[in-house]
Amino acid sequence: MADCLFCKIIAGEIPSAKVYEDELCYAFNDIAPQAPTHFLVIPKAHIPSVAGIDGSNSAVVAHIFEVIAKLTKEQGIASYRVVSNIGEQAGQSVPHLHFHVLAGRDMTWPPG
Ligand code: AMP
């Protein structure tokens, strides 16, 4: 999608610290990390948020969770949090589906 920040990152038009890439998804370090480990995993296809997932595109979500399990195992991370914000009130600032992976510090519940 032409005007999407994360589509531009996938296309290499905006630089990013790549963690992983395959044909379906891209993972990169968050520019404003909220934990010692904080990376984002995004589908290469533009989906605005979890609210845009349906039967036509949901397979990529299972794939992304497989990738998250693989990357965290490879990095020796046993405990972590996966977050996806949907909409403005929940704190979504980039309208391209993304899963935050946070680790490396104690976390509280409920989140703020
Ligand atoms: P959210 O606020 O849940 O939509 O998450 C968007 C995330 O994207 C935030 O944690 C930002 O710090 C991160 N972000 C924004 N721009 C960039 C960028 N150019 N490279 C890496 N992460 C970014």
Side-chain angles (χ1 to χ4, degrees):
M1 193 181 156
D3 231 15
C4 170
L5 173 67
F6 286 176
C7 285
K8 286 181 179 164
I9 284 179
I10 291 163
E13 293 165 16
I14 291 175
S16 66
K18 180 164 96 171
V19 172
Y20 175 83
E21 179 175 16
D22 63 26
E23 68 285 4
L24 293 176
C25 71
Y26 187 79
F28 56 108
N29 287 323
D30 196 292
I31 204 166
Q34 302 301 310
T37 295
H38 184 179
F39 62 86
L40 305 172
V41 190
I42 66 179
K44 287 191 168 174
H46 182 85
I47 301 170
S49 76
V50 167
I53 296 167
D54 61 23
S56 73
N57 59 20
S58 59
V60 74
V61 178
H63 178 72
I64 283 173
F65 274 80
E66 280 183 43
V67 166
I68 289 170
K70 170 183 142 69
L71 294 177
T72 49
K73 272 192 198 90
E74 282 173 2
Q75 294 180 26
I77 298 169
S79 182
Y80 54 95
R81 184 170 288 178
V82 180
V83 175
S84 193
N85 298 316
I86 298 100
E88 209 175 308
Q89 189 175 30
Q92 184 178 10
S93 60
V94 180
H96 181 123
L97 177 64
H98 51 283
F99 295 92
H100 297 257
V101 179
L102 300 132
R105 64 166 171 82
D106 293 341
M107 295 190 197
T108 57
W109 192 264

